[in-house]
Amino acid sequence: MTHGRQPDLDQIEARFVALVEARTSRDAVDRWAARWLADDDLSWDDPARWALEVLHGIDLPAGPEGGFLHDDEQVRGWLDELRRHRAE
């Protein structure tokens, strides 16, 4: 099941950036990543798979008190990590 053209690392990084800059919701990013990970016809390199797996679940709640399991600082850290991987 292929959902269209497979996103590259630039497009995946752009989702992180949009999230960090509050231009998109965590729910939207989670759903976007989930649709790509669910497609068994696609093949991913390690950095892309890692990044999609991080984005899928980015909207997990911290608990009944509210907030997210992964805070904004952690999301920024993951974006930095993705950029380091890309520079290698």
Side-chain angles (χ1 to χ4, degrees):
M1 142 176 101
T2 301
H3 293 134
R5 200 175 133 248
Q6 180 173 340
D8 60 18
L9 272 177
D10 288 337
Q11 292 165 308
I12 296 169
E13 182 178 335
R15 296 294 168 144
F16 272 101
V17 171
L19 187 58
V20 165
E21 293 177 352
R23 291 184 286 115
T24 192
S25 71
R26 287 175 177 249
D27 179 61
V29 171
D30 170 75
R31 285 184 285 114
W32 179 84
R35 83 176 249 227
W36 293 110
L37 287 172
D39 192 334
D40 294 331
D41 294 333
L42 300 177
S43 177
W44 303 98
D45 61 16
D46 289 341
R49 174 162 294 283
W50 170 82
L52 286 170
E53 288 174 350
V54 166
L55 291 174
H56 178 48
I58 202 77
D59 64 342
L60 292 171
E65 300 81 36
F68 295 104
L69 182 61
H70 308 291
D71 64 19
D72 293 343
E73 184 177 333
Q74 189 169 18
V75 174
R76 283 189 294 278
W78 285 329
L79 174 57
D80 291 343
E81 188 173 343
L82 175 60
R83 288 175 170 163
R84 282 193 304 275
H85 284 296
R86 295 189 71 183
E88 294 174 350

